[in-house]
Amino acid sequence: MGFRRVAPVAIVFGLSLCFSADQIAAQRGGGRGAPPPRPDPLVDGDVTIKPPFANATELIMDLHVPHGEVHRFSMKSEDSKIYKGISRAKPGEVVPYERPVAVYVPAQYVPGTAAPFIVVQDGYNPKYALTIPTILDNLIAQKKVPAMIAVMIQHGGGDGPGSQRGLEYDTVSDKYTTFVETEVLPKIEHDYNVKLTKDPEGRATMGGSSGAACAFTMAWFHPELYRRVISYSGTFVNQENPQHPEVTRGAWEYHASLIPNNAPKPIRVWMEVGGEDNGSDRDEASLHNWVIANHHMAAALKSKGYHYRFVFADGARHTDANVIYQTLPEALQYVWNGYQAK
């Protein structure tokens, strides 16, 4: 089933994002509290942003632009061949779960045509589910991004090492990508009469925290499938469980060895970390300082000549909603810069 958003307030899963007249005027550059001019969002390299952070105007629903449709469904673990569900308390025990998925289809989509798309990890997190449909409505209408489909996939439950979410997102392998390609995307194409492009330049992936590490993992192991990545507070630390012998420090290995020791891959990356992110008071030897890990990640990408943009959000916390609401439209524009439909 689907629903259309018809009021000037984005409403998802019982939550709403509203703006006062003063806030809207400030974001548009008028009145008190107007944010300072921002750097060009399409330029490679490192940039620092500071509080106070301001919601981007693209978060405001515009009744004068076409509005896409959002479909929702659930996937049961018993139907999956890849993720049956795990127990943190009793390793090896199967714990059933249901995974909600939301699919945004832009109003401009022409049935039967192959559409570019973005896969969103933690897709039912309000930070993404509450904002992405409205942002895409606005950016697509402004022709700043292509008319893309958004596949917003929730994890299978829990968090951290030993959880289903941890297994899916922190594992440094192509297992999760296989799950998406073989179990999620075919169902969406079949059930909602859409066609998803096979062109890797038209496929993006994003997430926050472990979902961000997962997004990069999808592109790293399968650049022939995904080449555009958005990462908020990426968990590029040692959190894989169980660990693979060849990747002994989990996603920390991306900046420590995998990127430096391999030829550049055709991946375009937008990434952010907060100054007060997870583990910011821990030393590098802990392998659990997100700030250090993301700085290393940006340096590794730069040294190998990747197209990347690294945003350091001074004073921000882990996957800080204020930062996401300010920067997500810019992130989308950056990763899709240069895209040409085939």
Side-chain angles (χ1 to χ4, degrees):
M1 63 181 292
F3 66 89
R4 286 190 177 276
R5 290 160 292 116
V6 295
V9 176
I11 301 176
V12 181
F13 320 129
L15 299 174
S16 64
L17 184 60
C18 312
F19 299 89
S20 69
D22 288 343
Q23 285 174 312
I24 293 174
Q27 291 179 69
R28 288 175 175 165
R32 292 176 296 177
R38 297 176 188 164
D40 185 342
L42 303 182
V43 174
D44 290 355
D46 303 352
V47 63
T48 296
I49 59 176
K50 297 178 179 292
F53 304 111
N55 294 336
T57 57
E58 289 86 357
L59 271 70
I60 303 169
M61 181 175 284
D62 186 345
L63 296 180
H64 298 95
V65 305
H67 296 156
E69 191 170 8
V70 178
H71 307 276
R72 293 180 286 177
F73 64 95
S74 293
M75 301 180 69
K76 294 184 178 181
S77 56
E78 62 194 58
D79 297 325
S80 176
K81 297 180 180 179
I82 297 174
Y83 293 125
K84 292 294 186 181
I86 63 173
S87 168
R88 187 195 298 257
K90 297 180 180 180
E93 181 181 6
V94 174
V95 179
Y97 65 84
E98 286 195 23
R99 179 194 310 276
V101 180
V103 183
Y104 163 88
V105 181
Q108 296 86 344
Y109 177 68
V110 178
T113 61
F117 66 94
I118 184 168
V119 176
V120 184
Q121 277 59 248
D122 293 312
Y124 260 47
N125 186 318
K127 296 174 186 176
Y128 314 123
L130 186 65
T131 60
I132 287 176
T134 298
I135 291 172
L136 289 180
D137 280 347
N138 289 325
L139 290 180
I140 292 169
Q142 297 164 16
K143 300 188 183 302
K144 292 182 178 179
V145 299
M148 75 183 78
I149 291 171
V151 178
M152 297 173 278
I153 308 172
Q154 190 67 355
H155 56 79
D159 191 20
S163 69
Q164 180 65 39
R165 180 178 185 270
L167 176 66
E168 295 172 14
Y169 292 172
D170 292 320
T171 299
V172 182
S173 78
D174 68 349
K175 186 175 182 179
Y176 180 80
T177 310
T178 301
F179 164 71
V180 172
E181 291 294 312
T182 61
E183 298 190 9
V184 182
L185 301 186
K187 177 176 175 60
I188 290 170
E189 290 186 312
H190 177 270
D191 291 356
Y192 301 111
N193 190 32
V194 297
K195 185 177 180 181
L196 302 170
T197 184
K198 301 297 184 183
D199 174 15
E201 294 291 347
R203 290 164 150 244
T205 181
M206 69 164 283
S209 192
S210 291
C214 176
F216 187 81
T217 293
M218 293 175 72
W220 179 261
F221 282 91
H222 285 288
E224 82 285 4
L225 295 177
Y226 297 93
R227 293 186 179 176
R228 303 175 188 272
V229 177
I230 296 175
S231 166
Y232 280 101
S233 296
T235 300
F236 299 112
V237 302
N238 183 16
Q239 194 156 291
E240 183 178 51
N241 184 15
Q243 291 186 325
H244 292 74
E246 64 275 17
V247 186
T248 59
R249 294 176 292 179
W252 187 275
E253 294 290 357
Y254 280 126
H255 49 84
S257 63
L258 294 176
I259 295 172
N261 296 338
N262 284 277
K265 301 189 179 188
I267 304 171
R268 186 177 182 87
V269 184
W270 187 100
M271 54 185 297
E272 176 272 349
V273 74
E276 298 180 15
D277 219 300
N278 283 356
S280 60
D281 58 349
R282 302 182 68 173
D283 61 20
E284 182 167 351
S286 70
L287 305 183
H288 269 81
N289 183 314
W290 271 247
V291 183
I292 291 175
N294 278 270
H295 276 283
H296 285 341
M297 192 74 174
L301 293 170
K302 180 179 182 179
S303 69
K304 299 296 285 192
Y306 280 81
H307 283 295
Y308 83 99
R309 183 172 176 85
F310 175 47
V311 176
F312 176 70
D314 191 21
R317 298 184 180 276
H318 191 64
T319 61
D320 196 312
N322 292 322
V323 174
I324 293 172
Y325 296 157
Q326 174 172 307
T327 62
L328 185 51
E330 296 178 358
L332 286 162
Q333 290 176 69
Y334 176 82
V335 294
W336 286 100
N337 188 32
Y339 171 71
Q340 297 290 332
K342 293 183 179 179

